[in-house]
């Protein structure tokens, strides 16, 4: 009986866990559409501060967030998913980078309702159109 309860608790807790990840930049070649967008950010849209959502394998999403300035790197802080909204939070760090428009690749299993990307102060990033 206790074993069954323990197994059910573990299954429940793992289902409640975060279904997000940060993709390493050296794996960019795995998703051609994302790679093409990153090339645009580095060459044509070097001052774009915002995000774009891509659908990748098995319906999962990849969110590319860019800082819009070469001296500001991004770090993933977390995702808040509820029934009617999904919010990804990133931290903006002042630092020199080799990229014209620093970016981060955030994977998320599912987006529920209205989607937004914000920084640690709550400022929203613009969605790429």
């Amino acid at each position: 009986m206790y074993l069954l309860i323990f197994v059910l608790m573990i299954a429940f807790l793992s289902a409640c866990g975060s279904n997000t990840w940060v993709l390493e930049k050296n794996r960019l070649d795995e998703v051609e559409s994302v790679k093409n967008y990153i090339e645009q950010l580095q060459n044509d849209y070097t001052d774009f501060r915002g995000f774009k959502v891509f659908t990748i394998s098995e319906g999962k999403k990849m969110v590319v967030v860019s800082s819009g300035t070469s001296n500001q790197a991004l770090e993933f802080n977390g995702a808040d998913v509820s029934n009617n909204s999904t919010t990804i939070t990133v931290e903006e760090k002042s630092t020199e980078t080799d990229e014209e428009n620093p970016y981060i690749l955030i994977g998320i299993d599912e987006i529920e309702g209205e989607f937004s990307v914000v920084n640690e102060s709550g400022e929203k990033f613009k969605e790429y159109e």
Side-chain angles (χ1 to χ4, degrees), residues 2-13:
Y2 291 115
L3 181 59
L4 178 62
I5 292 172
F6 177 75
V7 170
L8 290 174
M9 283 179 43
I10 295 298
F12 177 75
L13 291 174

Side-chain angles (χ1 to χ4, degrees), residues 23-34:
L23 183 69
E24 299 86 12
K25 291 179 181 180
N26 63 355
R27 294 181 57 194
L28 190 58
D29 290 337
E30 294 177 17
V31 185
E32 190 68 28
S33 59
V34 174

Side-chain angles (χ1 to χ4, degrees), residues 49 88-92 117-125:
R49 180 183 181 270
I88 288 180
T89 305
V90 295
E91 183 177 345
E92 297 175 301
V117 177
V118 298
N119 67 9
E120 67 276 12
S121 302
E123 296 174 61
K124 287 188 174 186
F125 282 73

Side-chain angles (χ1 to χ4, degrees), residues 49-65:
R49 180 183 181 270
F51 69 93
K52 184 171 182 176
V53 179
F54 295 87
T55 300
I56 57 174
S57 66
E58 300 175 4
K60 296 179 182 184
K61 305 295 183 186
M62 177 63 58
V63 182
V64 180
V65 184

Side-chain angles (χ1 to χ4, degrees), residues 109-127:
D109 284 348
E110 189 175 10
I111 293 176
E112 297 284 336
E114 184 179 333
F115 181 71
S116 61
V117 177
V118 298
N119 67 9
E120 67 276 12
S121 302
E123 296 174 61
K124 287 188 174 186
F125 282 73
K126 178 181 177 182
E127 184 171 7

Side-chain angles (χ1 to χ4, degrees), residues 33-117:
S33 59
V34 174
K35 180 182 174 187
N36 291 338
Y37 176 68
I38 297 300
E39 289 174 2
Q40 287 180 333
L41 284 177
Q42 300 309 308
N43 297 314
D44 303 325
Y45 305 119
T46 57
D47 61 349
F48 178 69
R49 180 183 181 270
F51 69 93
K52 184 171 182 176
V53 179
F54 295 87
T55 300
I56 57 174
S57 66
E58 300 175 4
K60 296 179 182 184
K61 305 295 183 186
M62 177 63 58
V63 182
V64 180
V65 184
S66 59
S67 70
T69 178
S70 63
N71 63 354
Q72 201 160 47
L74 300 171
E75 184 175 299
F76 176 63
N77 272 3
D80 180 28
V81 180
S82 67
N83 290 338
N84 57 1
S85 69
T86 303
T87 303
I88 288 180
T89 305
V90 295
E91 183 177 345
E92 297 175 301
K93 295 185 170 200
S94 294
T95 184
E96 285 298 319
T97 68
D98 294 340
E99 299 163 344
E100 290 294 320
N101 189 351
Y103 64 93
I104 188 168
L105 305 163
I106 303 169
I108 186 166
D109 284 348
E110 189 175 10
I111 293 176
E112 297 284 336
E114 184 179 333
F115 181 71
S116 61
V117 177

